[in-house]
Amino acid sequence: AAMDGLRYAVFGLGNSSYEHFNAAALQLDARLSELGGKRAEGVCVGLGDASKDLDGTFDEWMAALLDALLPGAGAGNKLSTHSTEEPRLERHCEGSWQVVWQPEVTAKLDLAPQPRKLTRRKTRISELAHSSIGATVQGVVELAKGPGGSGSIAEVTLDLQGETYSTADTIGIFPTNDVECVELFGALLNQPLDSTFTMAPVGEGAQEDVPFPCPTTLREVLSNYIDVIGKPSRRVVSKLAYFCSNTAEREELLALASPAGKSRWEELAHRKRLSLLELFISYPSLSSVPLVNFLELVPQMRLKPRYYTASSCPEVMGSSRVTLTVKVLRDRMLELPGGRHSTALGGVSSSFLASALAGQVVRAFVQPSVFSLPPDPAVPILMVAAG
């Protein structure tokens, strides 16, 4: 056969909410086998599921692949259920950065300069943030309410301040976390929210490795750079677990982040009880994590931009004025510690936009669409609507 003796491994990226889940990966695996290829021993077809724990599934698959190629090499990629290692409360001494409070700096130490307009989805988030514009909210109108207070549909009008867009372009929005959640997280970390600090390199660190612009405050970082109510990866949870001052909590978190804890992890994720904030509430000794170690994980806990297709026509609204039609969910309850009240949470970005006030500035960028109508309006087109 054409591929006799070829050793291969396949990992697919899919979403189990779709009918043909990872069909391309499965078909590729079958075809390679038909042509004489042999899948690496002990390595199943990786079925990555974007609706569940994609990173954890990939880590397990990669560990199996490394073991197949170099026996024992995958051990470093496996998330262990138990550990004899003591909490690394002084690990910040080994890191690349140190926190310097009240630095004598007036200029913002920003990331490396980037072109003003970056629009590809694969562009680094930090570069997109640097290239974003300050769009001004002109108004928010509630178009419809969901049953039982489950959410609503809102129309958000933005002034792009001279930035232009075309029909069907996507508008990327950098949201800000809920104020109450930020206050609570600051209390859980037992750190001042409004004191100025900077991340200074321990040695000859590269400036572009700064995880966020400095000097800054913890409030700014928690508000704009960390996905406080988003689901962290199992790898992040495993790293944080080592700083638990309570041994039982540390072992429980390591078990949750391990392959053996996958079913429990998916159960919590399905119930929407697996946010970074809720983990710190459920495991109080996580507050032992040194601030510098927590901040070094920001790139892995990053609050990502959300994308909305422009729902307005620039020929009608004006090329710098755009409307977004946003589905606002209120589908989860956050139980506050100490027997305090519960608070309803929804999507980070949709809640942020729906509650925005006229005149408020929102960080945004335009991502051109690959879809465009024929220049000649007489050309017939076939239109298909999903949903």
Side-chain angles (χ1 to χ4, degrees):
M3 295 187 177
D4 275 342
L6 173 72
R7 295 179 72 201
Y8 71 89
V10 177
F11 186 90
L13 301 175
N15 190 314
S16 58
S17 62
Y18 290 87
E19 179 182 358
H20 303 291
F21 174 54
N22 266 314
L26 294 169
Q27 291 169 9
L28 176 61
D29 174 72
R31 184 58 177 155
L32 288 173
S33 180
E34 287 176 9
L35 294 174
K38 185 177 180 182
R39 193 190 306 141
E41 186 176 353
V43 184
C44 298
V45 179
L47 301 179
D49 190 348
S51 69
K52 296 181 180 177
D53 181 24
L54 179 60
D55 290 339
T57 301
F58 179 76
D59 284 341
E60 293 171 21
W61 178 86
M62 179 56 73
L65 176 60
L66 290 175
D67 276 339
L69 298 176
L70 297 168
N77 248 47
K78 295 177 181 176
L79 301 175
S80 174
T81 304
H82 299 285
S83 172
T84 57
E85 186 176 353
E86 290 300 310
R88 294 179 287 182
L89 301 183
E90 301 302 324
R91 184 183 166 201
H92 58 280
C93 296
E94 305 168 9
S96 302
W97 302 94
Q98 57 184 326
V99 173
V100 178
W101 293 100
Q102 305 294 344
E104 295 181 4
V105 180
T106 55
K108 201 79 162 175
L109 299 177
D110 210 338
L111 307 181
Q114 301 294 336
R116 181 169 178 268
K117 187 174 181 180
L118 298 170
T119 55
R120 296 174 297 168
R121 287 188 189 273
K122 64 182 180 181
T123 304
R124 288 175 55 190
I125 296 173
S126 57
E127 295 172 358
L128 287 173
H130 187 87
S131 66
S132 63
I133 58 169
T136 304
V137 176
Q138 290 194 326
V140 179
V141 179
E142 187 176 70
L143 302 178
K145 287 186 176 181
S150 60
S152 62
I153 303 295
E155 181 183 78
V156 182
T157 304
L158 299 175
D159 182 346
L160 298 178
Q161 300 297 314
E163 191 80 2
T164 60
Y165 75 102
S166 301
T167 302
D169 278 357
T170 297
I171 310 299
I173 299 292
F174 281 95
T176 296
N177 282 310
D178 177 78
V179 173
E180 187 174 17
C181 290
V182 170
E183 292 278 354
L184 176 56
F185 214 136
L188 291 168
L189 287 172
N190 195 28
Q191 297 287 347
L193 280 172
D194 297 309
S195 295
T196 304
F197 70 88
T198 192
M199 296 285 282
V202 172
E204 297 297 321
Q207 182 60 44
E208 61 267 23
D209 289 336
V210 177
F212 40 79
C214 290
T216 187
T217 64
L218 185 57
R219 183 184 299 280
E220 185 175 349
V221 174
L222 291 175
S223 296
N224 300 312
Y225 294 98
I226 296 178
D227 197 351
V228 169
I229 64 170
K231 181 181 69 175
S233 69
R234 285 196 282 165
R235 184 160 295 279
V236 164
V237 173
S238 181
K239 289 178 179 179
L240 288 173
Y242 283 112
F243 296 108
C244 281
S245 56
N246 181 288
T247 303
E249 289 185 2
R250 182 169 74 253
E251 294 297 330
E252 188 175 337
L253 272 176
L254 286 172
L256 179 64
S258 73
K262 186 174 183 178
S263 60
R264 173 63 176 161
W265 179 278
E266 291 181 352
E267 177 199 347
L268 291 173
H270 179 72
R271 291 168 48 205
K272 299 189 176 181
R273 292 291 185 273
L274 199 58
S275 70
L276 195 63
L277 177 57
E278 284 162 309
L279 285 176
F280 271 76
I281 291 173
S282 301
Y283 300 91
S285 72
L286 274 174
S287 62
S288 297
V289 59
L291 182 60
V292 67
N293 293 108
F294 179 75
L295 295 175
E296 283 184 328
L297 289 174
V298 166
Q300 300 176 55
M301 306 183 295
R302 191 87 185 206
L303 182 58
K304 299 175 182 176
R306 271 51 170 185
Y307 296 92
Y308 300 90
T309 302
S311 57
S312 57
C313 175
E315 284 75 13
V316 176
M317 294 281 293
S319 61
S320 190
R321 191 164 174 261
V322 64
T323 65
L324 310 177
T325 303
V326 180
K327 183 177 182 180
V328 186
L329 294 176
R330 288 286 186 270
D331 58 349
R332 59 190 295 189
M333 297 297 296
L334 176 65
E335 303 293 335
L336 300 180
R340 293 157 61 193
H341 67 284
S342 300
T343 184
L345 295 177
V348 175
S349 185
S350 62
S351 299
F352 166 66
L353 289 173
S355 62
L357 301 175
Q360 184 172 333
V361 176
V362 174
R363 291 183 304 151
F365 59 92
V366 177
Q367 177 177 280
S369 172
V370 296
F371 168 80
S372 62
L373 293 171
D376 182 0
V379 175
I381 60 174
L382 178 64
M383 303 181 73
V384 180

